[in-house]
Amino acid sequence: MNKKAVVLLSGGMDSLLTLSMALNSGYYVYPLHLNYGQATEPKEYECFNNILKYYGLNENLIVDVEHLRKIGGSTLTDANMQQDNADIPNSYVPFRNANILAIATSWAEVIGASALYIGASEVDYSGYPDCRREFFDAFEQTIRLGTKPDTHITIETPLIRMTKADIVNKGIELAIPFELSWSCYYSNDEACGECDSCKLRLKGFAAAGIKDPIKYKKNIYL
Amino acid sequence: MNKKAVVLLSGGMDSLLTLSMALNSGYYVYPLHLNYGQATEPKEYECFNNILKYYGLNENLIVDVEHLRKIGGSTLTDANMQQDNADIPNSYVPFRNANILAIATSWAEVIGASALYIGASEVDYSGYPDCRREFFDAFEQTIRLGTKPDTHITIETPLIRMTKADIVNKGIELAIPFELSWSCYYSNDEACGECDSCKLRLKGFAAAGIKDPIKYKKNIYL
Protein backbone atom coordinates (compact mmCIF):
# COMPACT_ATOMS: atom_id res chain seq x y z
CA MET A 1 0.00 0.00 0.00
CA ASN A 2 1.24 3.47 -0.86
CA LYS A 3 2.26 5.81 1.91
CA LYS A 4 -0.30 8.56 2.48
CA ALA A 5 0.03 12.34 2.47
CA VAL A 6 -2.42 15.12 3.26
CA VAL A 7 -1.87 17.89 0.69
CA LEU A 8 -3.12 21.42 1.33
CA LEU A 9 -4.79 22.42 -1.92
CA SER A 10 -6.13 25.96 -2.03
CA GLY A 11 -6.45 25.89 -5.80
CA GLY A 12 -3.50 28.25 -6.29
CA MET A 13 -0.53 27.59 -8.55
CA ASP A 14 1.79 26.78 -5.65
CA SER A 15 -0.51 24.21 -4.06
CA LEU A 16 -1.17 22.67 -7.49
CA LEU A 17 2.57 22.14 -8.02
CA THR A 18 2.90 20.81 -4.46
CA LEU A 19 0.17 18.24 -5.15
CA SER A 20 1.92 17.16 -8.33
CA MET A 21 5.24 16.78 -6.45
CA ALA A 22 3.59 14.66 -3.72
CA LEU A 23 2.11 12.36 -6.38
CA ASN A 24 5.52 12.22 -8.07
CA SER A 25 7.07 11.11 -4.77
CA GLY A 26 4.74 8.11 -4.69
CA TYR A 27 2.24 9.28 -2.10
CA TYR A 28 -1.42 8.38 -2.06
CA VAL A 29 -2.77 11.90 -1.81
CA TYR A 30 -5.55 13.26 0.44
CA PRO A 31 -6.29 16.86 -0.64
CA LEU A 32 -7.53 19.26 2.03
CA HIS A 33 -9.24 22.52 1.13
CA LEU A 34 -10.04 25.32 3.56
CA ASN A 35 -12.71 27.95 3.25
CA TYR A 36 -11.70 30.67 5.69
CA GLY A 37 -13.94 33.38 4.28
CA GLN A 38 -11.49 34.68 1.68
CA ALA A 39 -13.11 36.82 -1.04
CA THR A 40 -12.10 34.41 -3.82
CA GLU A 41 -13.36 31.20 -2.20
CA PRO A 42 -15.96 30.54 -4.96
CA LYS A 43 -13.18 30.55 -7.58
CA GLU A 44 -10.74 28.60 -5.38
CA TYR A 45 -13.39 25.96 -4.70
CA GLU A 46 -14.03 25.58 -8.45
CA CYS A 47 -10.27 25.21 -9.05
CA PHE A 48 -9.95 22.67 -6.21
CA ASN A 49 -12.66 20.50 -7.77
CA ASN A 50 -11.26 20.81 -11.29
CA ILE A 51 -7.79 19.81 -10.08
CA LEU A 52 -9.23 16.74 -8.28
CA LYS A 53 -10.96 15.71 -11.51
CA TYR A 54 -7.82 16.32 -13.57
CA TYR A 55 -5.73 14.01 -11.39
CA GLY A 56 -8.57 11.52 -10.73
CA LEU A 57 -8.45 11.97 -6.93
CA ASN A 58 -11.37 10.75 -4.84
CA GLU A 59 -10.62 11.22 -1.16
CA ASN A 60 -10.75 14.82 0.03
CA LEU A 61 -11.79 17.01 2.93
CA ILE A 62 -13.28 20.49 2.72
CA VAL A 63 -13.39 22.44 5.96
CA ASP A 64 -15.24 25.66 6.61
CA VAL A 65 -12.96 27.52 9.03
CA GLU A 66 -15.61 30.03 10.01
CA HIS A 67 -13.67 31.26 13.01
CA LEU A 68 -11.00 32.98 10.89
CA ARG A 69 -13.79 35.00 9.31
CA LYS A 70 -15.35 35.70 12.73
CA ILE A 71 -11.99 36.74 14.14
CA GLY A 72 -11.11 38.92 11.13
CA GLY A 73 -7.99 41.09 11.25
CA SER A 74 -7.05 40.61 7.57
CA THR A 75 -7.99 42.14 4.21
CA LEU A 76 -8.67 38.56 3.05
CA THR A 77 -11.35 37.93 5.65
CA ASP A 78 -12.68 41.45 6.39
CA ALA A 79 -14.11 43.36 3.41
CA ASN A 80 -13.90 46.66 5.34
CA MET A 81 -10.09 46.58 5.58
CA GLN A 82 -7.89 48.23 2.91
CA GLN A 83 -4.64 46.66 1.61
CA ASP A 84 -1.52 48.34 3.06
CA ASN A 85 2.22 48.14 2.34
CA ALA A 86 3.63 47.20 5.75
CA ASP A 87 6.52 44.72 6.18
CA ILE A 88 3.87 42.17 7.08
CA PRO A 89 1.02 43.15 4.74
CA ASN A 90 -2.44 43.16 6.29
CA SER A 91 -3.56 40.40 3.94
CA TYR A 92 -1.85 38.26 6.66
CA VAL A 93 -4.59 36.12 8.28
CA PRO A 94 -3.46 35.84 11.91
CA PHE A 95 -1.80 32.45 12.53
CA ARG A 96 -3.68 31.01 9.54
CA ASN A 97 -1.18 28.28 8.69
CA ALA A 98 -1.18 26.93 12.25
CA ASN A 99 -4.97 26.59 12.06
CA ILE A 100 -4.66 24.83 8.71
CA LEU A 101 -1.85 22.52 9.86
CA ALA A 102 -3.72 21.60 13.06
CA ILE A 103 -6.69 20.46 10.96
CA ALA A 104 -4.39 18.62 8.55
CA THR A 105 -2.63 16.87 11.45
CA SER A 106 -5.92 15.71 13.03
CA TRP A 107 -6.98 14.24 9.70
CA ALA A 108 -3.54 12.73 9.04
CA GLU A 109 -3.51 11.04 12.45
CA VAL A 110 -6.94 9.45 11.86
CA ILE A 111 -6.20 8.18 8.32
CA GLY A 112 -2.60 7.17 9.11
CA ALA A 113 -0.85 9.65 6.80
CA SER A 114 2.86 10.24 7.39
CA ALA A 115 3.30 13.59 5.66
CA LEU A 116 1.62 16.97 5.26
CA TYR A 117 2.46 18.86 2.05
CA ILE A 118 2.15 22.65 2.00
CA GLY A 119 3.20 24.94 -0.86
CA ALA A 120 4.84 27.72 1.15
CA SER A 121 7.88 29.56 -0.20
CA GLU A 122 10.38 31.74 1.66
CA VAL A 123 11.97 33.19 -1.45
CA ASP A 124 9.42 35.42 -3.15
CA TYR A 125 8.39 36.03 0.41
CA SER A 126 4.96 37.37 1.25
CA GLY A 127 6.21 38.60 4.62
CA TYR A 128 3.84 36.25 6.45
CA PRO A 129 5.61 34.84 9.54
CA ASP A 130 3.78 31.52 9.23
CA CYS A 131 5.29 30.79 5.80
CA ARG A 132 8.85 30.32 7.03
CA ARG A 133 10.56 26.94 7.36
CA GLU A 134 11.48 27.67 10.99
CA PHE A 135 7.75 28.00 11.72
CA PHE A 136 7.13 24.61 10.08
CA ASP A 137 10.00 23.08 12.08
CA ALA A 138 8.41 24.34 15.31
CA PHE A 139 5.05 22.95 14.21
CA GLU A 140 6.62 19.53 13.49
CA GLN A 141 7.88 19.49 17.09
CA THR A 142 4.37 20.39 18.28
CA ILE A 143 3.01 17.45 16.26
CA ARG A 144 5.61 15.08 17.78
CA LEU A 145 4.59 16.08 21.30
CA GLY A 146 0.84 16.45 20.73
CA THR A 147 -0.04 13.20 18.94
CA LYS A 148 0.14 9.50 19.87
CA PRO A 149 3.63 7.99 20.24
CA ASP A 150 3.13 5.83 17.12
CA THR A 151 2.03 8.80 14.99
CA HIS A 152 4.88 10.15 12.85
CA ILE A 153 4.06 13.08 10.60
CA THR A 154 6.50 15.34 8.74
CA ILE A 155 5.72 18.70 7.14
CA GLU A 156 6.96 18.73 3.55
CA THR A 157 7.56 22.15 1.98
CA PRO A 158 9.06 21.31 -1.45
CA LEU A 159 8.64 24.90 -2.68
CA ILE A 160 10.29 26.55 0.32
CA ARG A 161 13.48 27.58 -1.55
CA MET A 162 11.85 28.17 -4.96
CA THR A 163 11.30 31.54 -6.63
CA LYS A 164 8.04 32.01 -8.53
CA ALA A 165 10.06 31.48 -11.76
CA ASP A 166 11.35 28.16 -10.34
CA ILE A 167 7.75 27.22 -9.55
CA VAL A 168 6.61 28.00 -13.09
CA ASN A 169 9.53 26.05 -14.58
CA LYS A 170 8.95 23.05 -12.30
CA GLY A 171 5.24 23.21 -13.20
CA ILE A 172 6.10 23.07 -16.91
CA GLU A 173 8.42 20.09 -16.25
CA LEU A 174 5.63 18.21 -14.42
CA ALA A 175 3.00 19.40 -16.94
CA ILE A 176 0.68 20.79 -14.28
CA PRO A 177 -2.58 22.35 -15.53
CA PHE A 178 -1.82 26.01 -14.74
CA GLU A 179 -5.13 27.01 -16.36
CA LEU A 180 -7.01 25.22 -13.52
CA SER A 181 -5.29 27.26 -10.77
CA TRP A 182 -6.11 30.64 -9.23
CA SER A 183 -3.91 33.03 -7.27
CA CYS A 184 -5.71 36.41 -7.18
CA TYR A 185 -6.70 37.52 -3.68
CA TYR A 186 -9.62 39.75 -4.61
CA SER A 187 -11.35 38.78 -7.88
CA ASN A 188 -13.44 35.74 -8.87
CA ASP A 189 -13.69 36.34 -12.64
CA GLU A 190 -10.55 37.82 -14.25
CA ALA A 191 -7.52 38.03 -11.96
CA CYS A 192 -6.92 41.65 -10.88
CA GLY A 193 -3.20 41.64 -11.73
CA GLU A 194 -2.54 44.18 -8.97
CA CYS A 195 -2.70 42.36 -5.63
CA ASP A 196 0.49 40.93 -4.08
CA SER A 197 -0.44 37.43 -5.14
CA CYS A 198 -1.17 38.36 -8.79
CA LYS A 199 2.03 40.42 -9.00
CA LEU A 200 4.15 37.54 -7.72
CA ARG A 201 2.54 35.07 -10.12
CA LEU A 202 2.93 37.38 -13.13
CA LYS A 203 6.55 38.10 -12.17
CA GLY A 204 7.19 34.34 -12.03
CA PHE A 205 5.77 33.69 -15.50
CA ALA A 206 7.63 36.71 -16.92
CA ALA A 207 10.94 35.53 -15.41
CA ALA A 208 10.34 32.03 -16.81
CA GLY A 209 9.54 33.57 -20.22
CA ILE A 210 6.17 31.83 -20.41
CA LYS A 211 2.65 33.18 -20.79
CA ASP A 212 0.24 32.58 -17.90
CA PRO A 213 -2.86 30.90 -19.42
CA ILE A 214 -5.33 32.59 -17.02
CA LYS A 215 -6.92 35.97 -17.82
CA TYR A 216 -5.93 39.23 -16.15
CA LYS A 217 -7.64 42.62 -15.99
CA LYS A 218 -4.20 44.20 -15.96
CA ASN A 219 -0.80 42.67 -16.75
CA ILE A 220 2.21 44.96 -16.40
CA TYR A 221 4.43 42.43 -18.20
CA LEU A 222 2.47 42.61 -21.47
CA MET B 1 -6.05 49.26 30.72
CA ASN B 2 -5.90 45.72 32.02
CA LYS B 3 -3.82 43.13 30.20
CA LYS B 4 -5.95 40.71 28.19
CA ALA B 5 -6.16 36.91 28.25
CA VAL B 6 -8.08 34.45 26.12
CA VAL B 7 -9.41 31.73 28.44
CA LEU B 8 -10.51 28.35 27.08
CA LEU B 9 -13.81 27.71 28.82
CA SER B 10 -15.42 24.37 28.03
CA GLY B 11 -17.76 24.62 30.98
CA GLY B 12 -15.92 21.92 32.92
CA MET B 13 -14.65 22.30 36.49
CA ASP B 14 -11.03 22.70 35.40
CA SER B 15 -11.71 25.47 32.91
CA LEU B 16 -13.97 27.20 35.44
CA LEU B 17 -11.13 27.27 37.98
CA THR B 18 -8.72 28.43 35.27
CA LEU B 19 -11.02 31.34 34.41
CA SER B 20 -11.22 32.30 38.09
CA MET B 21 -7.40 32.19 38.39
CA ALA B 22 -6.97 34.40 35.28
CA LEU B 23 -9.38 36.96 36.76
CA ASN B 24 -7.49 36.74 40.06
CA SER B 25 -4.24 37.52 38.22
CA GLY B 26 -5.74 40.78 36.99
CA TYR B 27 -6.50 39.85 33.39
CA TYR B 28 -9.38 41.22 31.36
CA VAL B 29 -10.77 37.87 30.26
CA TYR B 30 -12.00 36.80 26.79
CA PRO B 31 -13.64 33.35 27.14
CA LEU B 32 -13.47 31.04 24.13
CA HIS B 33 -15.79 28.05 23.80
CA LEU B 34 -15.43 25.29 21.22
CA ASN B 35 -18.12 23.03 19.89
CA TYR B 36 -16.28 20.11 18.33
CA GLY B 37 -19.24 17.77 18.13
CA GLN B 38 -18.84 16.27 21.60
CA ALA B 39 -21.95 14.45 22.87
CA THR B 40 -22.36 16.80 25.85
CA GLU B 41 -22.09 20.08 23.92
CA PRO B 42 -25.68 21.15 24.81
CA LYS B 43 -24.86 20.91 28.52
CA GLU B 44 -21.39 22.45 28.12
CA TYR B 45 -22.86 25.37 26.19
CA GLU B 46 -25.42 25.97 28.96
CA CYS B 47 -22.62 25.89 31.58
CA PHE B 48 -20.46 28.26 29.49
CA ASN B 49 -23.29 30.82 29.37
CA ASN B 50 -24.14 30.45 33.05
CA ILE B 51 -20.49 30.97 34.00
CA LEU B 52 -20.29 34.13 31.84
CA LYS B 53 -23.38 35.49 33.60
CA TYR B 54 -22.01 34.55 37.03
CA TYR B 55 -18.80 36.51 36.47
CA GLY B 56 -20.46 39.30 34.45
CA LEU B 57 -18.30 38.72 31.35
CA ASN B 58 -19.41 40.22 28.04
CA GLU B 59 -16.80 39.51 25.37
CA ASN B 60 -16.67 35.92 24.18
CA LEU B 61 -16.19 33.78 21.09
CA ILE B 62 -17.95 30.52 20.30
CA VAL B 63 -16.49 28.47 17.48
CA ASP B 64 -18.05 25.48 15.78
CA VAL B 65 -15.06 23.27 14.98
CA GLU B 66 -17.01 21.09 12.58
CA HIS B 67 -13.88 19.48 11.13
CA LEU B 68 -13.10 17.53 14.32
CA ARG B 69 -16.54 15.93 13.99
CA LYS B 70 -16.00 15.30 10.27
CA ILE B 71 -12.58 13.79 10.92
CA GLY B 72 -13.81 11.64 13.84
CA GLY B 73 -11.45 9.08 15.39
CA SER B 74 -12.67 9.58 18.98
CA THR B 75 -15.51 8.31 21.18
CA LEU B 76 -16.26 11.99 21.90
CA THR B 77 -16.93 12.86 18.26
CA ASP B 78 -18.06 9.52 16.79
CA ALA B 79 -21.14 7.93 18.40
CA ASN B 80 -20.31 4.55 16.80
CA MET B 81 -17.04 4.13 18.72
CA GLN B 82 -16.93 2.34 22.11
CA GLN B 83 -14.79 3.51 25.03
CA ASP B 84 -11.62 1.42 25.51
CA ASN B 85 -8.93 1.17 28.20
CA ALA B 86 -5.75 1.80 26.20
CA ASP B 87 -2.82 3.88 27.54
CA ILE B 88 -4.16 6.69 25.41
CA PRO B 89 -7.94 6.16 25.72
CA ASN B 90 -9.92 6.53 22.50
CA SER B 91 -11.79 9.49 23.94
CA TYR B 92 -8.61 11.29 22.72
CA VAL B 93 -9.69 13.69 19.94
CA PRO B 94 -6.71 13.69 17.56
CA PHE B 95 -4.58 16.83 18.11
CA ARG B 96 -7.59 18.62 19.61
CA ASN B 97 -5.67 21.04 21.80
CA ALA B 98 -3.53 22.23 18.89
CA ASN B 99 -6.69 23.05 16.95
CA ILE B 100 -8.08 24.89 19.98
CA LEU B 101 -4.85 26.79 20.68
CA ALA B 102 -4.50 27.81 17.01
CA ILE B 103 -7.96 29.38 17.14
CA ALA B 104 -7.18 31.02 20.50
CA THR B 105 -3.91 32.42 19.13
CA SER B 106 -5.59 33.92 16.04
CA TRP B 107 -8.13 35.63 18.28
CA ALA B 108 -5.49 36.73 20.79
CA GLU B 109 -3.35 38.28 18.03
CA VAL B 110 -6.29 40.30 16.69
CA ILE B 111 -7.50 41.60 20.09
CA GLY B 112 -3.98 42.11 21.47
CA ALA B 113 -4.14 39.53 24.26
CA SER B 114 -0.83 38.48 25.82
CA ALA B 115 -1.85 35.15 27.36
CA LEU B 116 -3.87 32.02 26.64
CA TYR B 117 -5.21 30.16 29.69
CA ILE B 118 -5.97 26.46 29.41
CA GLY B 119 -6.97 24.15 32.28
CA ALA B 120 -4.85 21.12 31.42
CA SER B 121 -3.34 18.95 34.17
CA GLU B 122 -0.53 16.42 33.93
CA VAL B 123 -1.14 14.89 37.33
CA ASP B 124 -4.43 13.06 37.26
CA TYR B 125 -3.40 12.46 33.70
CA SER B 126 -5.91 11.50 31.05
CA GLY B 127 -3.15 10.02 28.89
CA TYR B 128 -3.77 12.58 26.16
CA PRO B 129 -0.44 13.63 24.62
CA ASP B 130 -1.70 17.17 23.98
CA CYS B 131 -2.29 17.83 27.70
CA ARG B 132 1.40 17.80 28.69
CA ARG B 133 3.38 20.95 29.48
CA GLU B 134 6.07 19.97 26.94
CA PHE B 135 3.38 20.08 24.26
CA PHE B 136 2.38 23.59 25.40
CA ASP B 137 6.05 24.67 25.40
CA ALA B 138 6.37 23.49 21.79
CA PHE B 139 3.19 25.34 20.88
CA GLU B 140 4.49 28.56 22.48
CA GLN B 141 7.54 28.31 20.21
CA THR B 142 5.20 27.80 17.23
CA ILE B 143 3.34 30.97 18.26
CA ARG B 144 6.61 32.94 18.55
CA LEU B 145 7.60 31.94 15.01
CA GLY B 146 4.16 32.03 13.38
CA THR B 147 2.85 35.45 14.49
CA LYS B 148 3.97 39.06 13.97
CA PRO B 149 7.24 40.12 15.67
CA ASP B 150 5.36 42.42 18.05
CA THR B 151 2.90 39.71 19.10
CA HIS B 152 3.87 38.09 22.41
CA ILE B 153 1.59 35.36 23.71
CA THR B 154 2.27 32.90 26.52
CA ILE B 155 0.32 29.74 27.29
CA GLU B 156 -0.66 29.69 30.94
CA THR B 157 -1.46 26.29 32.47
CA PRO B 158 -2.03 27.05 36.17
CA LEU B 159 -3.51 23.58 36.82
CA ILE B 160 -0.70 21.63 35.19
CA ARG B 161 0.77 20.29 38.48
CA MET B 162 -2.55 20.01 40.36
CA THR B 163 -4.33 16.82 41.32
CA LYS B 164 -8.13 16.81 41.08
CA ALA B 165 -8.21 17.21 44.88
CA ASP B 166 -5.96 20.30 44.57
CA ILE B 167 -8.36 21.64 41.94
CA VAL B 168 -11.36 21.15 44.23
CA ASN B 169 -9.54 22.77 47.15
CA LYS B 170 -8.38 25.73 45.06
CA GLY B 171 -11.94 26.08 43.74
CA ILE B 172 -13.27 26.24 47.30
CA GLU B 173 -10.63 28.88 48.15
CA LEU B 174 -11.68 31.02 45.16
CA ALA B 175 -15.39 30.28 45.75
CA ILE B 176 -15.99 29.08 42.20
CA PRO B 177 -19.57 28.00 41.35
CA PHE B 178 -18.96 24.24 40.98
CA GLU B 179 -22.70 23.73 40.44
CA LEU B 180 -22.44 25.62 37.10
CA SER B 181 -19.75 23.29 35.69
CA TRP B 182 -20.00 20.00 33.81
CA SER B 183 -17.39 17.28 33.32
CA CYS B 184 -19.23 14.15 32.11
CA TYR B 185 -18.23 13.02 28.60
CA TYR B 186 -21.44 11.22 27.68
CA SER B 187 -24.55 12.53 29.45
CA ASN B 188 -26.45 15.83 29.23
CA ASP B 189 -28.81 15.41 32.20
CA GLU B 190 -27.31 13.61 35.23
CA ALA B 191 -23.57 12.95 35.01
CA CYS B 192 -22.91 9.24 34.30
CA GLY B 193 -20.36 8.79 37.09
CA GLU B 194 -18.59 6.11 35.05
CA CYS B 195 -16.63 7.81 32.26
CA ASP B 196 -12.98 8.76 32.81
CA SER B 197 -13.90 12.38 33.32
CA CYS B 198 -16.65 11.69 35.90
CA LYS B 199 -14.39 9.25 37.77
CA LEU B 200 -11.58 11.81 37.99
CA ARG B 201 -13.93 14.54 39.19
CA LEU B 202 -15.57 12.31 41.81
CA LYS B 203 -12.16 11.12 43.00
CA GLY B 204 -11.09 14.75 43.40
CA PHE B 205 -14.10 15.70 45.52
CA ALA B 206 -13.71 12.52 47.60
CA ALA B 207 -10.02 13.24 48.24
CA ALA B 208 -10.86 16.82 49.23
CA GLY B 209 -13.59 15.52 51.54
CA ILE B 210 -16.25 17.66 49.89
CA LYS B 211 -19.54 16.77 48.19
CA ASP B 212 -19.84 17.58 44.47
CA PRO B 213 -23.02 19.69 44.07
CA ILE B 214 -23.94 18.25 40.63
CA LYS B 215 -26.11 15.12 40.29
CA TYR B 216 -24.75 11.69 39.31
CA LYS B 217 -26.48 8.55 38.09
CA LYS B 218 -23.82 6.54 39.91
CA ASN B 219 -21.31 7.69 42.54
CA ILE B 220 -18.93 5.01 43.83
CA TYR B 221 -17.80 7.31 46.65
CA LEU B 222 -21.26 7.52 48.26
Side-chain angles (χ1 to χ4, degrees):
Chain A
M1 202 174 78
N2 282 10
K3 53 195 180 168
K4 298 174 182 172
V6 171
V7 176
L8 297 165
L9 183 64
S10 64
M13 176 172 77
D14 298 358
S15 67
L16 168 60
L17 176 60
T18 303
L19 170 72
S20 170
M21 292 173 83
L23 288 167
N24 237 32
S25 295
Y27 281 96
Y28 190 89
V29 162
Y30 290 73
L32 171 60
H33 180 76
L34 284 299
N35 171 9
Y36 54 92
Q38 64 277 44
T40 54
E41 173 53 20
K43 186 69 185 180
E44 289 184 24
Y45 181 72
E46 180 191 316
C47 289
F48 174 77
N49 279 310
N50 287 337
I51 292 167
L52 292 196
K53 271 186 220 155
Y54 182 90
Y55 285 105
L57 302 171
N58 296 313
E59 307 273 1
N60 70 84
L61 180 66
I62 296 165
V63 175
D64 187 7
V65 196
E66 57 146 20
H67 60 275
L68 293 178
R69 194 168 43 231
K70 273 190 182 176
I71 291 168
S74 164
T75 57
L76 300 195
T77 54
D78 181 347
N80 296 319
M81 282 178 69
Q82 297 293 317
Q83 199 179 350
D84 67 7
N85 289 302
D87 286 347
I88 297 179
N90 62 0
S91 55
Y92 165 66
V93 177
F95 214 46
R96 187 195 69 168
N97 282 348
N99 282 272
I100 291 176
L101 289 171
I103 296 167
T105 304
S106 293
W107 194 29
E109 188 165 34
V110 172
I111 63 179
S114 58
L116 310 179
Y117 272 78
I118 181 167
S121 168
E122 276 190 6
V123 183
D124 281 333
Y125 179 45
S126 58
Y128 301 164
D130 58 350
C131 283
R132 296 175 299 168
R133 185 61 226 186
E134 57 178 340
F135 163 75
F136 297 114
D137 288 339
F139 205 95
E140 268 189 350
Q141 174 70 354
T142 300
I143 294 174
R144 266 193 293 277
L145 292 166
T147 55
K148 294 181 182 181
D150 53 352
T151 296
H152 301 286
I153 298 171
T154 60
I155 301 178
E156 303 298 327
T157 53
L159 277 51
I160 202 80
R161 305 260 170 261
M162 287 190 186
T163 63
K164 282 285 172 183
D166 293 338
I167 289 168
V168 172
N169 283 320
K170 187 73 183 174
I172 300 280
E173 181 194 325
L174 296 179
I176 66 172
F178 288 110
E179 70 280 7
L180 301 182
S181 69
W182 193 253
S183 304
C184 180
Y185 278 156
Y186 300 109
S187 173
N188 279 288
D189 43 18
E190 291 186 10
C192 73
E194 298 187 293
C195 69
D196 288 351
S197 185
C198 276
K199 279 186 200 160
L200 273 174
R201 176 168 171 145
L202 285 169
K203 188 180 150 200
F205 274 95
I210 292 156
K211 189 179 177 302
D212 187 347
I214 70 165
K215 282 187 185 170
Y216 287 88
K217 286 175 187 157
K218 184 175 171 183
N219 183 341
I220 57 163
Y221 296 97
L222 291 183
Chain B
M1 201 173 78
N2 281 10
K3 53 192 179 172
K4 298 174 182 173
V6 171
V7 177
L8 297 165
L9 183 63
S10 65
M13 175 172 78
D14 298 357
S15 67
L16 168 60
L17 177 60
T18 303
L19 170 73
S20 171
M21 292 174 83
L23 288 168
N24 237 32
S25 295
Y27 281 97
Y28 190 90
V29 162
Y30 289 72
L32 171 61
H33 180 76
L34 284 299
N35 170 9
Y36 55 92
Q38 65 276 44
T40 55
E41 173 54 20
K43 187 69 185 179
E44 289 184 25
Y45 180 73
E46 179 191 316
C47 289
F48 173 77
N49 279 311
N50 287 338
I51 292 167
L52 292 196
K53 271 185 221 157
Y54 182 90
Y55 286 105
L57 302 171
N58 296 312
E59 306 274 0
N60 70 84
L61 179 66
I62 297 166
V63 174
D64 186 6
V65 197
E66 57 147 19
H67 60 273
L68 293 178
R69 192 166 46 229
K70 273 190 182 174
I71 290 168
S74 164
T75 57
L76 300 196
T77 53
D78 182 347
N80 296 318
M81 282 178 69
Q82 297 291 318
Q83 200 179 348
D84 67 7
N85 289 300
D87 286 348
I88 297 179
N90 62 0
S91 54
Y92 165 66
V93 177
F95 213 47
R96 189 195 68 168
N97 283 348
N99 281 272
I100 290 176
L101 290 171
I103 295 167
T105 304
S106 293
W107 194 30
E109 188 166 33
V110 172
I111 62 178
S114 58
L116 311 179
Y117 272 78
I118 181 167
S121 168
E122 277 189 7
V123 183
D124 279 334
Y125 179 45
S126 57
Y128 300 163
D130 57 350
C131 283
R132 297 174 299 170
R133 184 61 224 186
E134 56 178 340
F135 163 75
F136 297 114
D137 288 338
F139 205 93
E140 268 189 349
Q141 175 70 355
T142 299
I143 294 174
R144 265 192 293 278
L145 291 167
T147 54
K148 294 182 183 182
D150 54 351
T151 297
H152 300 287
I153 299 171
T154 60
I155 302 178
E156 303 298 327
T157 53
L159 278 51
I160 201 79
R161 305 260 171 259
M162 289 190 184
T163 63
K164 283 284 172 183
D166 294 336
I167 290 168
V168 172
N169 283 320
K170 186 74 183 174
I172 300 281
E173 181 194 326
L174 296 179
I176 66 172
F178 286 110
E179 69 282 5
L180 301 182
S181 70
W182 193 253
S183 304
C184 180
Y185 277 156
Y186 300 109
S187 174
N188 279 289
D189 43 19
E190 291 186 8
C192 75
E194 298 187 294
C195 70
D196 288 350
S197 184
C198 277
K199 280 185 199 160
L200 273 173
R201 177 169 171 144
L202 284 169
K203 190 181 149 199
F205 274 95
I210 294 157
K211 190 180 175 302
D212 187 348
I214 70 166
K215 282 188 183 167
Y216 286 89
K217 286 175 187 156
K218 185 175 170 183
N219 183 343
I220 57 165
Y221 296 96
L222 291 184

